[in-house]
Amino acid sequence: MAKVAFMQLSSCWGCHQSLLDSHLTLLHVLPELEFVYWPAVVDFKMHHLEGYEDGSVDVGFLEGFIRTEGDLANAKLMRQKCKIIVAMGSCAVLGGCPGLANLYTIEELTQRKFLDTEFVDAGAKVPDQHVPKFMDAIPDLHTQVKVDVDLPGCPPKPGNIVGLIAHVLGAPDTKVDASKSMCDVCPLDNCLLDAGTLCYGPITAAGDPIGKLAAGYPVSGEFGLTKAIHEGNANKLFAKLTEKPLTKDEVSQTVTALMMTLSSVPLGYLVGKADPIRAVKLDPESIKMKTFNNKEIVDYTAEGYPEMVNHIIGASMANLKDNPDYDDSAKTVCSACERNVENKEVVRYKRDYEGFPDQDKCLLIQGYVCMGPITKGGCGATCPRANSPCLGCYGPAVNVDDYAAKAMSLFPSICRDSPENIKKFFSDPAGLFARFCVPTSTLGHKLEEK
């Protein structure tokens, strides 16, 4: 089992909620995880984490930002105890919305927060008992501890989190018999594939414990590939994958199965086109195809496994390649957005509350400030699909060196409104364009010469 720790720095807890929102997708990975520290969910104490040997925890997730000296100490403790550190969420990766506090000094912030606000009693003072000391500014986490993996998003997409956990698991320590398939040990009387349910049992190694299969949940490759497939059911699975496009839920299950069996990280901002799963969308021209049973599938080879395993993996990838519900992207948010762009000129910019956006047309062209063109993909254009502009929580796209500077260059240049009106509209450029990334941008934090 993989030892996993979650540390909550100063934060809103939303990233943990996103992980819990994975729901049934977690059923196959939870048995492989030993949570050694997760105080946001389980009643762990600091001494539990401190008691582990240095480097004995397989992976540690840091969520939130460093606002206090206590946060900094906790981040360093996690780095000391964990082999791999994952910065989870926009706050950890970029600085997050709270990073906008860096536009002010700590004296200005505490004055407003604790003394000048309309909701404090007379005689109030800045707390100084039993609380950690504030840092002068919110630092870039990466300058304080070594971070191995960035997992952006506010919050990160549940599938991204589960995919990363699946990759970290690698070869699970459970009892696995690659000389059998899950079909050989399946306790069900009626095959799920016969009922039309997608199940990767025919090519998945037999594992113990069987987990939720006994309760009727399909297999998602959680024990790796088998070297002895169930031929009859493998043919059924191949037919299922090639007869018609997978549903949205089946796409999610297929991506999970490929992640589990190929040990691939489905995060474009980590591996991009080098990941064989994402490559079918990101670089389709480079994908070599072949024909099997009169079906066109991706030509993929998993060395040392039966040829039918390769055919099923290839059929899975081919279905994802042309499936609109496979929307993960390592490009920009725009690359996953289905809205129509009739031209690339904005007449005038609008506030989000002005009017009701046309759900088929590009939000930016309608005048709504959508950060999609310069924001790293991976969320599947979640906000535009909900008729809301992208805010930029996944951070700068590839080749965007300074997010705020790029935005300040882009948005005025495509609008034909007067310079005066544009300047008036963007009255708070730092708050709008560097919403999630002040600590990691060239803005850094406010300085005052003494």
Side-chain angles (χ1 to χ4, degrees):
M1 298 182 73
K3 289 184 172 64
V4 179
F6 287 86
M7 176 64 76
Q8 183 179 6
L9 306 177
S10 293
S11 71
C12 70
W13 200 81
C15 296
H16 298 287
Q17 182 63 54
S18 185
L19 172 58
L20 297 178
D21 283 345
S22 301
H23 301 306
L24 295 180
T25 308
L26 290 171
L27 291 177
H28 294 299
V29 298
L30 284 177
E32 305 302 331
L33 301 178
E34 178 186 353
F35 294 102
V36 300
Y37 190 75
W38 196 2
V41 175
V42 184
D43 188 23
F44 285 109
K45 306 300 182 185
M46 186 62 72
H47 65 81
H48 292 121
L49 181 60
E50 293 171 338
Y52 284 92
E53 293 184 6
D54 292 354
S56 63
V57 180
D58 293 296
V59 59
F61 290 81
L62 286 176
E63 184 248 6
F65 55 98
I66 297 176
R67 176 72 277 183
T68 70
E69 292 180 352
D71 292 329
L72 180 59
N74 288 339
K76 290 182 175 180
L77 177 63
M78 285 283 281
R79 177 69 275 180
Q80 178 183 342
K81 301 297 180 182
C82 302
K83 299 173 185 175
I84 298 172
I85 286 292
V86 178
M88 183 170 70
S90 295
C91 288
V93 176
L94 304 167
C97 292
L100 290 169
N102 280 7
L103 300 176
Y104 306 88
T105 65
I106 190 63
E107 291 78 16
E108 291 171 328
L109 291 168
T110 52
Q111 179 74 24
R112 174 59 182 160
K113 168 69 177 179
F114 297 106
L115 305 179
D116 293 346
T117 183
E118 294 79 2
F119 306 103
V120 296
D121 296 329
K125 63 177 183 177
V126 178
D128 58 3
Q129 298 294 314
H130 309 296
V131 292
K133 183 181 177 182
F134 287 120
M135 303 280 286
D136 288 339
I138 297 172
D140 176 358
L141 175 65
H142 305 74
T143 65
Q144 306 301 309
V145 297
K146 180 179 179 292
V147 175
D148 300 293
V149 180
D150 283 335
L151 187 64
C154 187
K157 197 173 179 179
N160 291 161
I161 304 176
V162 174
L164 180 60
I165 292 175
H167 176 74
V168 169
L169 285 176
D173 292 332
T174 50
K175 182 180 178 181
V176 175
D177 185 357
S179 67
K180 297 180 180 179
S181 73
M182 286 295 285
C183 290
D184 296 321
V185 297
C186 179
L188 300 180
D189 294 329
N190 299 310
C191 178
L192 294 174
L193 286 164
D194 287 335
T197 300
L198 183 63
C199 179
Y200 280 85
I203 66 169
T204 301
D208 182 27
I210 292 177
K212 296 297 182 179
L213 177 60
Y217 292 104
V219 175
S220 296
E222 52 270 36
F223 298 113
L225 294 172
T226 180
K227 295 190 176 182
I229 65 171
H230 190 289
E231 292 188 10
N233 288 347
N235 289 325
K236 296 176 188 176
L237 176 56
F238 183 85
K240 168 73 174 175
L241 291 165
T242 56
E243 66 181 355
K244 61 182 180 180
L246 298 174
T247 66
K248 190 169 184 178
D249 288 341
E250 290 172 339
V251 164
S252 177
Q253 183 187 348
T254 295
V255 172
T256 299
L258 291 175
M259 290 187 300
M260 293 289 194
T261 53
L262 305 183
S263 295
S264 178
V265 182
L267 305 175
Y269 34 84
L270 299 181
V271 293
K273 296 178 182 179
D275 170 32
I277 307 174
R278 300 179 67 86
V280 299
K281 277 289 189 183
L282 302 179
D283 196 16
E285 294 79 12
S286 70
I287 301 301
K288 185 179 179 182
M289 307 296 288
K290 67 179 182 180
T291 301
F292 176 73
N293 280 1
N294 297 319
K295 301 293 185 180
E296 189 177 40
I297 62 175
V298 172
D299 187 359
Y300 185 86
T301 300
E303 297 290 347
Y305 292 95
E307 193 61 21
M308 191 59 177
V309 169
N310 295 325
H311 295 330
I312 287 175
I313 292 174
S316 300
M317 291 180 173
N319 203 308
L320 295 179
K321 177 175 177 286
D322 301 317
N323 196 310
D325 285 321
Y326 180 46
D327 56 16
D328 284 341
S329 171
K331 297 180 181 178
T332 66
V333 171
C334 289
S335 66
C337 184
E338 299 176 350
R339 292 170 176 266
N340 297 321
V341 182
E342 297 177 355
N343 57 66
K344 295 184 179 180
E345 185 179 60
V346 179
V347 176
R348 75 172 184 89
Y349 285 112
K350 308 174 185 176
R351 302 297 179 191
D352 291 355
Y353 56 79
E354 291 186 66
F356 188 81
D358 188 314
Q359 299 186 56
D360 296 320
K361 294 182 180 179
C362 171
L363 289 160
L364 180 55
I365 299 306
Q366 294 181 66
Y368 297 101
V369 181
C370 182
M371 308 299 285
I374 60 173
T375 300
K376 188 182 298 177
C379 65
T382 300
C383 291
R385 288 173 185 268
N387 213 23
S388 178
C390 168
L391 301 180
C393 71
Y394 266 58
V398 178
N399 298 325
V400 175
D401 295 324
D402 190 290
Y403 192 79
K406 185 70 172 180
M408 291 178 69
S409 170
L410 169 67
F411 289 102
S413 68
I414 61 173
C415 184
R416 68 185 189 200
D417 202 355
S418 69
E420 292 76 16
N421 287 342
I422 294 175
K423 182 178 179 181
K424 182 178 180 180
F425 182 88
F426 294 116
S427 58
D428 180 20
L432 180 60
F433 299 142
R435 187 194 313 253
F436 292 98
C437 62
V438 169
T440 53
S441 72
T442 53
L443 291 172
H445 59 87
K446 185 175 181 179
L447 295 174
E448 284 193 353
E449 295 184 1
K450 300 296 183 180

